[in-house]
Amino acid sequence: MVNLIKINPDGTAEFLLKDEYLKAFAKKPAEQNSFDKDIIDLNDKLQAMEQLIYGQYLRVSPVIGDANNTWIAMTMNDLDSVLVKPSAISRYVKAVNEAQVSDNWSQADEALKNVSDAQQKYGKDVVPSQGKIEWEISYNSWNIFLNLMITYALLGVVILSLAFMKLFKNSKSLDTLVKVVLVLIGIAAILQGVGLGVRWYISGHEPWSNGYEAVLFISWIGVLSGLLMYRNSNAFIPAAGCLIAVILMGFAHGGSQMNPQITPLVPVLKSYWLMIHVAIITSSYGFFGLSALMGTVVLILYIIDNNKISAKVKASITELTIVNEMSLTVGLFLLTVGTFLGGIWANESWGRYWSWDPKETWAFISVIVYAFVLHVRLIPGLRSKYLFNLLSLLAFSSIIMTYFGVNYYLTGLHSYAQGDPVPIPSWVYITLAVVFALALVSYKRYKARSK
């Protein structure tokens, strides 16, 4: 990395690939290739390093008497009289340099304590407590959500395998193993709740204020809904909850758009409606995700159905369809209530209840889509467990569009892309192909077994 920097006579650093960076930065996100993205990322890191070296990120000095509790960066040469103890940082840096030679750190420790005392005295309204600092250090060392994603993946695969094995064999040992795995899933869900609670305590606001946090919360609701709706030893239900959690947490930890950093709330989110509206809306996504996975399992059951296991397959399909309907009902209720509450929040923030913003519009579309899915079973010509479960899977695409698509492909008050769409990920096309193949094969098997 040093070879990419040239030090000018005045002491400033210059990026040798500056011209290539400017060309890459001038392109729209959809037009940038891998080289463009890498060079932009490299330039950002170099700038961050330069500003860190020059002290621009070291906002360690609270301004005395400032009503907004402003803290500003203070370098060794910054001796503005309005700052708290303007020579404190310079004394500390000097003491550190001397201690590296003499190995006597007492003066450095004393200088650092002076800085800390000044911060506590003049910036006590915004300085995190020692408890929060210790909890944040522990939280970062745990890497709890990545470990839980791996745990859910293992437990989900195990319990899904046990569920399929129970179709072919009656065994008390299988039932015992299912109960053991359920206990482990419950423990993992408790740990995830603890992780979200710790993040809430550290940040000082609800842990669903950005994309990363919301996805973690939705995955947690998916697991809980799978456990709550577990009935009659049907292990497919909690398995679906685990798998939806794995998929969502995979996006959180693998997507470049998901930043796990704990940050302050933007002004528009500083409202009690963040706890109410966003929590209700995102909770509905967890139930819809569970429904989509259960619909997928039903389609797979239609494919593997044969004379030997027909009775068990039909019983499982019937039970999964009932639970699927329950999950959709809960999800639709939460989505509808959350949408109305969002209108109230919009009126408080922007002075109108509804403006056909893309996010509002797609929330309304999702309500209509799921209302249609739930009412299909009441239409005589469409009363089919196969159709209901297929639609519950397809309907989840409206949620994906509402939550992800609107943010990056449409411009509005809830959008982040500002009209420059990012390339459509390859997994979208792969998923569409898999769903189409699954629907086609399961339909042929369903019709063949219905004769």
Side-chain angles (χ1 to χ4, degrees), residues 308-324:
K308 185 177 180 180
I309 61 172
S310 180
K312 289 185 178 181
V313 168
K314 288 181 179 179
S316 294
I317 289 175
T318 299
E319 186 168 319
L320 285 172
T321 302
I322 293 173
V323 176
N324 195 347

Side-chain angles (χ1 to χ4, degrees), residues 47 73 82 95 107 127 184 221 227 247 278 292 315 341 408:
Q47 287 189 352
V82 301
Q107 292 185 355
V127 171
L184 295 176
I221 295 298
L227 293 174
I247 294 171
V278 179
L341 294 178
Y408 304 116

Side-chain angles (χ1 to χ4, degrees), residues 299-348:
L299 297 183
I300 295 174
L301 289 177
Y302 277 120
I303 294 175
I304 68 172
D305 188 16
N306 57 55
N307 294 330
K308 185 177 180 180
I309 61 172
S310 180
K312 289 185 178 181
V313 168
K314 288 181 179 179
S316 294
I317 289 175
T318 299
E319 186 168 319
L320 285 172
T321 302
I322 293 173
V323 176
N324 195 347
E325 181 181 335
M326 294 168 57
S327 183
L328 283 182
T329 303
V330 175
L332 181 58
F333 173 79
L334 292 172
L335 181 61
T336 305
V337 172
T339 302
F340 276 98
L341 294 178
I344 299 175
W345 187 7
N347 184 57
E348 290 187 4

Side-chain angles (χ1 to χ4, degrees), residues 106 121 225 240 255 290 296 307 332 337 352 377 385 401 413 433:
S106 58
K121 181 178 180 180
S225 60
L290 177 69
T296 304
N307 294 330
L332 181 58
V337 172
R352 85 289 182 275
R377 71 192 193 284
K385 292 185 179 68
M401 181 62 192
L413 294 172

Side-chain angles (χ1 to χ4, degrees), residues 13-39:
E14 181 179 348
F15 187 29
L16 295 180
L17 300 178
K18 179 180 178 180
D19 293 338
E20 288 78 1
Y21 162 75
L22 293 175
K23 293 178 182 178
F25 188 78
K27 297 179 182 179
K28 292 183 177 181
E31 300 173 351
Q32 293 172 354
N33 56 32
S34 299
F35 173 79
D36 295 330
K37 293 178 181 179
D38 289 341
I39 200 169

Side-chain angles (χ1 to χ4, degrees), residues 15-132:
F15 187 29
L16 295 180
L17 300 178
K18 179 180 178 180
D19 293 338
E20 288 78 1
Y21 162 75
L22 293 175
K23 293 178 182 178
F25 188 78
K27 297 179 182 179
K28 292 183 177 181
E31 300 173 351
Q32 293 172 354
N33 56 32
S34 299
F35 173 79
D36 295 330
K37 293 178 181 179
D38 289 341
I39 200 169
I40 291 174
D41 182 62
L42 178 60
N43 179 78
D44 291 343
K45 291 178 179 178
L46 291 175
Q47 287 189 352
M49 182 186 299
E50 180 182 10
Q51 292 180 15
L52 182 62
I53 292 173
Y54 284 98
Q56 297 303 313
Y57 287 152
L58 299 177
R59 294 179 179 269
V60 295
S61 302
V63 178
I64 299 176
D66 185 77
N68 296 321
N69 294 307
T70 303
W71 287 43
I72 56 180
M74 180 178 176
T75 63
M76 293 180 60
N77 297 324
D78 192 352
L79 303 179
D80 193 324
S81 61
V82 301
L83 299 180
V84 178
K85 295 188 177 181
S87 60
I89 299 298
S90 59
R91 289 204 307 270
Y92 173 66
V93 173
K94 181 180 179 181
V96 169
N97 290 332
E98 293 176 352
Q100 289 177 334
V101 177
S102 65
D103 200 29
N104 182 1
W105 294 86
S106 58
Q107 292 185 355
D109 292 339
E110 182 181 356
L112 182 61
K113 186 177 184 302
N114 291 335
V115 175
S116 177
D117 291 343
Q119 292 173 339
Q120 293 291 338
K121 181 178 180 180
Y122 297 105
K124 60 183 178 180
D125 293 336
V126 293
V127 171
S129 66
Q130 186 62 32
K132 280 191 175 183

